[in-house]
Amino acid sequence: MLAVADAVRVGYVGCGGMGIAHMKSLVENPKAALVAFCDINLKKAEDAARSYGSEDAQTFDSAEKMFKSIKLDAVYFCLPPFAHGAEMEAIKHGVPFFVEKPINLYLDQARKISKAVERKKLMTSVGYMNRYRRGVQMVREILKEDPPILVLGGWIIESPSPTPSMPIVFWWVRKEKSGGQFHEQVTHTVDLARFLCGEIVEVHAFSAKGFNREVTPGYNIEDAAVVNLKFAGGAVGNLWASCSSNGGGGGVSLSVYCLKTTALFNGWRHDLRLLRKGEEAVEVPGEENIFAIEDKAFIEAVLNDDPSKILCPYSDGLRTLEVTLAANKSMETGRPVKIRRRENRSKP
């Protein structure tokens, strides 16, 4: 086991649910030492430090103070969509960073961060963990020879009510805080569709509102949304979001249809059922420890100064952000929204 002095010294900005998910992973990684915890609610940072921190761990209520006070080799930003911007502190101090999805709520701010990362040539990673799944990697290789034609998927969950059936954080139900379910949650499916099937160049979205009545106070997000997609390679798709399905029967899914291949991903783990013309069906279970796999890739990248194992740098997370925010714009206007194409985008 590496001594703390030899391990990657990791700090956290944001010590809520997603931050803790990564802390639980990294505290088991002997190559990482969790030495700094920052949250605007200092008690959260102190609780996290007691549970997951190294002996010399420090706590802060300001990212600026944290970066000025302690030497870090890497930092995790696990923040609500509306609360980003502290990434600029990591860039200023030259600290590689991991940021949970979606990377922002404001496109201009995200583009500013991305440009600063590029200028600094800083190593980054975005929390689109499904890219690291074995089944996803298998399908991605197949689609290079058998291109996608139709893509369907999304998240269908219960209403975010004040009852124990679906406990939810306050900001998630506020459109101006989370960006809505499609932006905050179905972003995983949008990113996976891009990773497998290539760039999305146009979206046309529709939403349903006003059906959820007995919900968490302050709720103003869509009850459901459908988003039509056009891919650069010619494929079409439809992704959906729903947080109004209290009768059950929902879940997470992504289905990709090609001439000779059908890839069916189901559940949070994205268990794969792979159907290929003339062959027996193949079942590939999704990994339970996907955060540990994703986090290991980032820590190894920092330790070896080699980003080759990182599957989603910040610039790629920005492209997924462009799609989900374009979908929100289309919901507002009722019109299709074209997405600006750039070089070096992810390709299947």
Side-chain angles (χ1 to χ4, degrees):
M1 176 182 256
L2 293 174
V4 170
D6 300 320
V8 175
R9 294 172 59 83
V10 180
Y12 275 84
V13 179
C15 298
M18 284 309 305
I20 290 171
H22 289 287
M23 293 172 202
K24 288 179 177 178
S25 158
L26 285 186
V27 77
E28 300 296 329
N29 186 332
K31 296 179 180 179
L34 280 58
V35 300
F37 299 82
C38 173
D39 198 284
I40 57 172
N41 182 340
L42 188 58
K43 186 179 184 303
K44 282 188 176 182
E46 291 169 345
D47 290 345
R50 278 192 294 270
S51 297
Y52 308 106
S54 60
E55 289 184 2
D56 63 345
Q58 298 182 43
T59 58
F60 305 89
D61 60 6
S62 158
E64 184 178 4
K65 291 179 190 175
M66 184 181 77
F67 281 102
K68 285 181 178 178
S69 302
I70 188 167
K71 178 187 179 299
L72 296 173
D73 301 314
V75 64
Y76 275 65
F77 290 97
C78 300
L79 300 166
F82 70 91
H84 287 273
E87 292 91 339
M88 296 301 291
E89 288 294 323
I91 296 167
K92 183 168 76 172
H93 289 84
V95 179
F97 67 84
F98 179 106
V99 57
E100 257 303 335
K101 62 78 220 169
I103 62 171
N104 215 301
L105 183 57
Y106 311 111
L107 190 54
D108 288 347
Q109 186 180 65
R111 285 174 173 163
K112 179 181 177 182
I113 292 169
S114 186
K115 288 177 181 177
V117 165
E118 186 178 348
R119 284 195 300 269
K120 197 90 170 187
K121 294 181 170 55
L122 195 63
M123 190 182 303
T124 59
S125 181
V126 179
Y128 288 114
M129 71 282 186
N130 293 316
R131 293 187 178 210
Y132 294 85
R133 296 189 184 277
R134 185 167 68 92
V136 168
Q137 292 290 327
M138 181 185 301
V139 171
R140 192 171 194 250
E141 289 302 309
I142 290 170
L143 296 187
K144 291 178 180 178
E145 303 299 327
D146 190 12
I149 301 170
L150 176 65
V151 181
L152 301 172
W155 294 56
I156 299 176
I157 62 175
E158 295 178 6
S159 300
S161 67
T163 66
S165 63
M166 187 187 168
I168 203 76
V169 288
F170 79 94
W171 54 261
W172 198 86
V173 300
R174 302 292 301 180
K175 181 78 172 185
E176 68 275 14
K177 300 288 188 182
S178 67
Q181 185 191 7
F182 192 83
H183 176 70
E184 200 284 328
Q185 191 174 62
V186 187
T187 182
H188 276 300
T189 310
V190 173
D191 186 78
L192 199 51
R194 286 188 54 248
F195 187 63
L196 292 172
C197 305
E199 291 305 334
I200 295 165
V201 296
E202 187 173 354
V203 302
H204 194 186
F206 303 89
S207 65
K209 299 186 73 172
F211 294 93
N212 267 331
R213 294 184 178 89
E214 296 180 6
V215 290
T216 302
Y219 174 99
N220 66 354
I221 61 174
E222 298 81 16
D223 300 332
V226 292
V227 182
N228 294 323
L229 310 172
K230 184 185 293 185
F231 290 84
V236 294
N238 179 268
L239 300 183
W240 51 79
S242 174
C243 56
S244 54
S245 303
N246 299 319
V252 183
S253 65
L254 179 67
S255 301
V256 182
Y257 298 90
C258 315
L259 281 177
K260 296 180 288 186
T261 305
T262 298
L264 305 172
F265 295 98
N266 280 289
W268 184 88
R269 297 191 322 176
H270 287 72
D271 299 322
L272 170 64
R273 180 170 174 79
L274 182 63
L275 308 174
R276 305 203 72 192
K277 185 177 180 181
E279 300 180 14
E280 293 291 324
V282 174
E283 308 280 350
V284 182
E287 296 83 350
E288 289 284 1
N289 64 332
I290 194 62
F291 290 125
I293 293 169
E294 174 186 51
D295 291 334
K296 180 182 177 182
F298 177 60
I299 295 300
E300 293 282 352
V302 173
L303 191 63
N304 299 316
D305 193 26
D306 177 11
S308 62
K309 301 299 185 191
I310 293 174
L311 298 184
C312 188
Y314 194 92
S315 58
D316 210 357
L318 174 61
R319 293 159 193 157
T320 296
L321 183 77
E322 290 173 339
V323 176
T324 56
L325 290 180
N328 276 354
K329 182 177 180 181
S330 182
M331 288 181 213
E332 293 171 7
T333 65
R335 299 188 182 94
V337 177
K338 292 185 183 295
I339 297 167
R340 185 177 65 189
R341 296 187 64 182
R342 295 196 301 258
E343 297 300 319
N344 300 320
R345 291 196 164 198
S346 64
K347 297 178 180 179

